[in-house]
Amino acid sequence: MKQLRRPFVLAIAMSVALAAPAFASLASDTFQDVPAGHWAEVGVAEVAIKRDLMRGYPDGTFRGDKPFTRFQFVDSLVSLLKEFETLSKTSWRPIDHPMNSYADVKPGADRDRVLAIANDYGLFEGVPDVTPDRFNGEKTVTRYEMAKIIDNLLRLAESKDLVRPRGKVGDGPTFSDVSPKDWAYRDVLDVSQRYKVMVGFPDGTFRGPEELTRYQYAQAISQTVPQIRELIAETGRQKEAESLSASPRRYQDLTPLRLELDSGVTGGLPASGNGQMLQALGMRYVRYAGSWFFLSDTRLQLQSGALAGLGSGSSSGTALDETFGVMVQVPMLGPVQLQPYLGLRAYADFAPGESYLFMGPGVGAVGYLRPGNGPWGLFLKGGLSSMLLGSQLAGGNPTTPNPSGLILYSSEAGVEYHVTPKLAVTAGLNVWEAPVGYLTGETRFGKANQTGLALGVQLGF
């Protein structure tokens, strides 16, 4: 008979065997009555040492062959709930719960724990011999009772959308010794077919009326807990994916930070007709902060010729382009999200010999399209700025008037691929141009432009 009990494992659907030699030696070292190589050694180490789901005895023994009682199950459930609520980052406690008195549970720590599990969470509802006045805490837990309580636990989490079923009743293993007449029939089907966290024996039985020993519970719960943890994680991933695909998708919420490295060419055409095409390499920081709809787009450019050097003939230069402002949320147009903005734009060009700063109001919009709610997305941005304020910062002829009349328009378009919901890679093309030009001294630029190819990374917080 003992050989029939040893293979007992409430195995987990799709579980991986827990082979941990370090736990095995630790269990036998910690509990003097758990021999090395014992069939439940790994389970004891997992629940009693690693997860603190079971307690040993003061004399250093585990007493694994002793019955596993309801009082002991309560202790384990207290630790389980703490672990699962930490993982979910929310309380599993329902709004409505029973008010049992349990006159047979004496005042003290045991009573506090029993009332917390049975009343605050309602996990013992529907368990035979548990009445509003009696808990019968010394009674040994059966396999049916374990299935019932685990089912109560998961149904409670499902009601809060913290776990979601992996299947449906009728889609999973069946047991030759479980029939619709059994009191825990529905619970067994739930944990084995809907949630897929427990199965029975290799011979196709569940053996529900059989009472658990401490060894059997340790082995069973050591395999059940990882599956419940994974079920919680699966649900979290499903909800996050649904949020990305179904909820209103504000561009700035999805991509609060984009870092780009771009390379391209700039061109200028003075009135004299001497054109120039200059290589440019830039680093860009873009942030769209969702709660305040704040736009900040900063670009630092190193180039082989100063764009706003105004004919100085410089062979190198640095430019700083900044757009900032407040965005306005527009209702979704199908899969398209559009966010107009109003703000300021500043452009500074630093070249050997002379430097300039332009600043003025700007308007524009940011758009986002995710076809089919898949991982691919398209983004675009367009803007128009009037550089009403111009100033020569350094160099040049002190008698030269400050530059004025500069109009800038810019646009960019690109694609992004979401590696994860909060991490995406991007590639795009950005162009800006000054079609009206600017005037300083005797030199008038009829056109200035820049074209760049950008590769970047988007991060979400």
Side-chain angles (χ1 to χ4, degrees), residues 98 100 102 113-125 135:
N100 301 299
Y102 299 142
R113 287 191 291 268
V114 168
L115 293 181
I117 294 300
N119 281 351
D120 293 351
Y121 293 90
L123 297 187
F124 278 84
E125 290 300 289
F135 183 69

Side-chain angles (χ1 to χ4, degrees), residues 106-359:
K106 297 179 180 180
D110 285 344
R111 180 174 176 80
D112 293 341
R113 287 191 291 268
V114 168
L115 293 181
I117 294 300
N119 281 351
D120 293 351
Y121 293 90
L123 297 187
F124 278 84
E125 290 300 289
V127 175
D129 299 326
V130 175
T131 68
D133 191 53
R134 296 193 64 81
F135 183 69
N136 293 310
E138 296 295 345
K139 187 171 182 178
T140 305
V141 177
T142 67
R143 299 172 192 173
Y144 273 159
E145 288 183 13
M146 181 176 179
K148 175 65 176 177
I149 291 169
I150 294 298
D151 190 29
N152 285 346
L153 178 67
L154 294 177
R155 282 185 173 273
L156 175 60
E158 184 181 351
S159 70
K160 292 176 169 284
D161 199 22
L162 300 174
V163 302
R164 295 178 179 178
R166 289 167 165 161
K168 58 183 179 180
V169 172
D171 177 22
T174 59
F175 308 103
S176 60
D177 60 342
V178 178
S179 75
K181 296 180 181 180
D182 294 320
W183 71 268
Y185 175 72
R186 179 66 188 217
D187 302 293
V188 171
L189 296 186
D190 278 352
V191 297
S192 63
Q193 297 179 357
R194 289 187 75 244
Y195 300 114
K196 299 184 185 298
V197 298
M198 296 172 65
V199 297
F201 289 90
D203 64 357
T205 61
F206 193 79
R207 306 180 195 178
E210 188 171 331
E211 296 179 342
L212 295 177
T213 66
R214 287 169 56 81
Y215 275 145
Q216 290 170 337
Y217 175 76
Q219 188 72 2
I221 203 66
S222 71
Q223 295 176 321
T224 303
V225 169
Q227 287 298 314
I228 297 177
R229 288 179 60 90
E230 178 57 27
L231 186 59
I232 296 170
E234 286 175 8
T235 301
R237 291 191 291 268
Q238 291 171 9
K239 291 163 65 176
E240 191 167 20
E242 290 169 0
S243 176
L244 283 176
S245 63
S247 62
R249 301 173 54 82
R250 293 198 304 266
Y251 182 89
Q252 66 271 26
D253 286 343
L254 295 171
T255 58
L257 174 64
R258 186 164 86 248
L259 300 177
E260 288 183 347
L261 188 64
D262 53 47
S263 178
V265 295
T266 61
L269 182 61
S272 62
N274 296 322
Q276 54 180 328
M277 295 298 289
L278 309 173
Q279 293 296 318
L281 180 65
M283 179 175 292
R284 185 177 181 196
Y285 164 95
V286 183
R287 181 173 179 82
Y288 302 95
S291 60
W292 293 97
F293 306 109
F294 179 71
L295 164 69
S296 176
D297 189 338
T298 305
R299 189 175 188 276
L300 177 64
Q301 177 184 335
L302 305 177
Q303 51 195 26
S304 60
L307 174 65
L310 307 182
S312 65
S314 303
S315 61
S316 63
T318 303
L320 181 63
D321 191 353
E322 167 69 20
T323 301
F324 52 94
V326 178
M327 306 185 79
V328 180
Q329 183 176 357
V330 174
M332 291 278 290
L333 302 174
V336 178
Q337 179 68 63
L338 187 65
Q339 298 289 339
Y341 69 85
L342 175 65
L344 297 175
R345 184 167 184 175
Y347 187 89
D349 195 326
F350 306 96
E354 52 189 322
S355 301
Y356 293 87
L357 171 67
F358 304 93
M359 182 178 297

Side-chain angles (χ1 to χ4, degrees), residues 359-381:
M359 182 178 297
V363 295
V366 176
Y368 184 86
L369 170 66
R370 192 174 184 182
N373 293 324
W376 290 96
L378 306 176
F379 62 87
L380 56 89
K381 177 187 169 193

